[in-house]
Amino acid sequence: MREEEDSNWFTKWEEELPSPEELIPLTQSLITPDLAIAFDLRTTNTNSGQVNSTAEFAADSTGDEPTARTLKRPRLVWTPQLHKRFVDAVAHLGIKNAVPKTIMQLMSVDGLTRENVASHLQKYRLYLKRMQSGAGNNAGVGDSDHLFASSHVPTHFLNPTSRQNSDHFIPSFVPISTLQQHHQQQQSQFLHRGIAAVNFTSPVNNGKVMDQSLFLARQNQQQQVIRPSSLHLHSQVANHTEESGGAKTVLTLFPTRND
DNA sequence: GCGGAAATAT
DNA sequence: CATATTTCCG
């Protein structure tokens, strides 16, 4: 009786979720928060890519712990794709459940923190507000909002009067236990899924990754999330963000191709 | 601890 | 100056 629903909700979830095609070209993954600045270079789909450069950061012999306890997280750049996923998450969650934590969980972007989402959500709400205010007029939607403008506002986000979405309530998230992937012993090769972290201490060798630090420390998070379908992850080289005479670390997300 | 808005920071 | 992060408060 209920079994069908149990197996159906997932299918439905996938369908209801953003369009697979929309997600495919996207690469959703940020580096693990803990520290890990990963440089992933995966050009061809050769499985045997043993581009394993797990180099640690400059080990301080003074007694500095290699652990990233004091490392500050790079500034997150909200790409249109990432924002798209954000909007989709909010849309499917409904205004009610669209709180930073749940949004974050649904987005299931590695490395994305609740603070990131909260901050973005704040901006997004302001954007929606502005949009409502100057709906008829061109006031509000200017040139600085193209990020938000890139994504359509699904339903009347700011319209609590209408039904939220009792229709299809997203089952929060799926524990990885369901489809889990055995033990992920070493997150060496498999872990790179469209990573997009950049560390600009040293320039890249013409597309070749130097001995950048690829340190993935994350292992057991409390909750793993299952991602809809299989996001084809592809990673390219990240954008460079140079500042005058300074090494900057920018965490960004880049699409492999744009429709 | 979490969500939301304001205050800083980059 | 825009935008992401940090701080503050309920």
Side-chain angles (χ1 to χ4, degrees), chain A residues 39-254:
Chain A
F39 228 130
D40 189 24
L41 188 66
R42 197 143 248 218
T43 42
T44 38
N45 39 353
T46 328
N47 285 349
S48 50
Q50 299 172 330
V51 196
N52 226 13
S53 19
T54 26
E56 221 184 70
F57 250 63
D60 237 53
S61 37
T62 53
D64 243 48
E65 295 176 22
T67 6
R69 216 224 298 266
T70 21
L71 290 184
K72 36 187 173 199
R73 185 181 302 268
R75 204 180 170 93
L76 174 68
V77 177
W78 284 87
T79 65
Q81 284 78 15
L82 188 55
H83 175 67
K84 176 68 163 46
R85 201 174 175 83
F86 167 83
V87 173
D88 285 331
V90 175
H92 285 89
L93 278 173
I95 311 296
K96 269 166 37 179
N97 308 314
V99 291
K101 194 176 183 178
T102 50
I103 296 174
M104 176 194 65
Q105 284 170 154
L106 235 185
M107 288 180 69
S108 73
V109 174
D110 207 18
L112 190 68
T113 66
R114 190 180 60 86
E115 285 79 12
N116 289 135
V117 179
S119 176
H120 193 69
L121 181 60
Q122 180 180 29
K123 281 190 350 180
Y124 187 60
R125 280 168 175 162
L126 288 176
Y127 165 74
L128 292 177
K129 213 168 193 175
R130 296 205 74 159
M131 186 174 247
Q132 282 187 353
S133 300
N137 203 357
N138 285 355
V141 190
D143 15 297
S144 38
D145 291 323
H146 23 49
L147 208 184
F148 296 121
S150 62
S151 165
H152 295 167
V153 181
T155 52
H156 321 85
F157 263 14
L158 297 182
N159 197 6
T161 53
S162 294
R163 49 100 79 88
Q164 302 289 312
N165 69 333
S166 337
D167 189 328
H168 54 277
F169 176 73
I170 304 296
S172 49
F173 46 86
V174 194
I176 202 168
S177 333
T178 318
L179 295 184
Q180 68 142 335
Q181 44 196 313
H182 316 108
H183 297 285
Q184 38 182 109
Q185 27 180 34
Q186 283 190 348
Q187 45 276 78
S188 344
Q189 55 208 51
F190 258 128
L191 241 195
H192 344 130
R193 17 180 155 162
I195 257 62
V198 231
N199 184 8
F200 289 95
T201 332
S202 13
V204 192
N205 268 2
N206 287 343
K208 279 204 171 182
V209 185
M210 300 180 62
D211 53 335
Q212 298 304 341
S213 40
L214 177 76
F215 193 123
L216 306 205
R218 107 184 215 358
Q219 277 213 328
N220 259 4
Q221 285 214 345
Q222 294 226 326
Q223 295 173 330
Q224 274 286 21
V225 200
I226 255 223
R227 47 197 75 215
S229 294
S230 41
L231 299 177
H232 291 170
L233 307 142
H234 224 81
S235 64
Q236 304 266 352
V237 191
N239 337 351
H240 300 180
T241 322
E242 309 182 36
E243 184 95 335
S244 25
K248 266 219 162 130
T249 32
V250 176
L251 193 62
T252 186
L253 178 76
F254 40 85

